Amino acid sequence: MGFARFSAWQNGEKRYNTLNKHLRETFGEKVFKVSLDGGFTCPNRDGTRGWGGCIYCSSRGSGDFAGEVSHSIEQQFVEVKERMCKKWPKAKYLAYFQAYTNTYAPVSKLREVYEEALCQEDVVGISIATRPDCLPEEVLDYLEELNQRTYLWVELGLQSIHDRTMNWVRRGHTYDEFLAGVAALHDRGIRVCVHVILGFPGETYEDMMATAQAVAALPVQGIKIHLLHIIKGTPLAKLYERESFPLPTFEEYVSLVSDILEVLPPQMIIHRLTGDGAPDDLIAPLWSRKKWEVLNAIDRELLKRDTWQGKSFSKDLET
């Protein structure tokens, strides 16, 4: 696309490379994710790497919109799909395992859960959210097998490249471990979507841009940008009640995301530009409840600047 401008802008398309567009181009029709709970836990919760999880993580392991874990994968799929089909009645589906760490189990368990999801009608692929420290060789072998016979994304949690931030949020792994996880998946030809979070206390604009520029230089195909949410019942919520530290304003967030888009590779697929907190559990920032207002404001900011994803990307950064 020449990296300069998307000719499709004249037809009302985004100034960044959306997952929705990518999936339509890949499958020829609308594809959406059906969020499922595979019943996994996390090494950051069971004592292997820590207890209680990351300080921002909800009681459902960030799977607040997934199916009910007490139900079978098939039953979850039907329930979640039916809710989503009200908006998109004719579509195909990606089975999306988001809650907790979805490679943190023996391969026999992973195979049981994933294969049941892939057997559901009109499922065209699978997206698996996990941690970089939960990719042993036998799991990588199975992911490589999946990648050869279906459409696969592995969504890998990073959040920040700064180990001081990782320690503060109790991630339980380092940036170097994340890089090793990316390398292992890249070596097997598996698509990787990196999760980052903006708005951690103590991180400056320069810190967050450094994370974006580091991701831009990695051999990954996608990014998911989240806003730090304060969710009821989390350790972060207790800390916020005591200190009430500043979070990005609506305007600051829109400007920051626009800056980040400019430095990302034009071909990188943007899975998300803002997060969804369960409305009843969200403490702050309350403006984030209006997801479409945030997305529309980012569109307007890019238009106002006459800028686009990749405008400031340097190929010299690629590794």
Side-chain angles (χ1 to χ4, degrees), residues 96-107:
Y96 181 30
F97 289 93
Q98 179 183 22
Y100 301 104
T101 302
N102 292 282
T103 59
Y104 189 50
V107 170

Side-chain angles (χ1 to χ4, degrees), residues 55-56 158-160 165-166 168-169 171 196-204 208 228 236 245-248:
I55 64 173
Y56 53 77
L158 169 61
Q159 320 316 351
S160 171
T165 300
M166 305 271 264
W168 186 81
V169 302
R171 276 296 293 174
V196 300
I197 295 177
L198 306 179
F200 287 122
E203 286 211 346
T204 64
M208 291 181 279
L228 182 65
L236 186 60
F245 46 80
L247 294 167

Side-chain angles (χ1 to χ4, degrees), residues 89-164:
K90 295 181 180 179
K92 295 292 191 290
Y93 317 110
L94 289 182
Y96 181 30
F97 289 93
Q98 179 183 22
Y100 301 104
T101 302
N102 292 282
T103 59
Y104 189 50
V107 170
S108 57
K109 172 64 174 178
L110 302 183
R111 190 178 293 274
E112 173 189 337
V113 171
Y114 297 166
E115 300 299 338
E116 184 177 358
L118 286 168
C119 285
Q120 302 309 309
E121 186 176 3
D122 289 329
V123 168
V124 295
I126 187 169
S127 190
I128 300 166
T130 190
R131 291 165 55 94
D133 55 341
C134 293
L135 294 170
E137 284 298 312
E138 61 272 20
V139 169
L140 288 166
D141 289 342
Y142 178 48
L143 293 176
E144 185 175 21
E145 174 198 326
L146 280 176
N147 194 49
Q148 291 170 352
R149 59 185 170 88
T150 193
Y151 176 86
L152 170 67
W153 279 97
V154 172
E155 301 193 17
L156 208 56
L158 169 61
Q159 320 316 351
S160 171
I161 65 168
H162 306 289
D163 283 339
R164 68 179 188 277

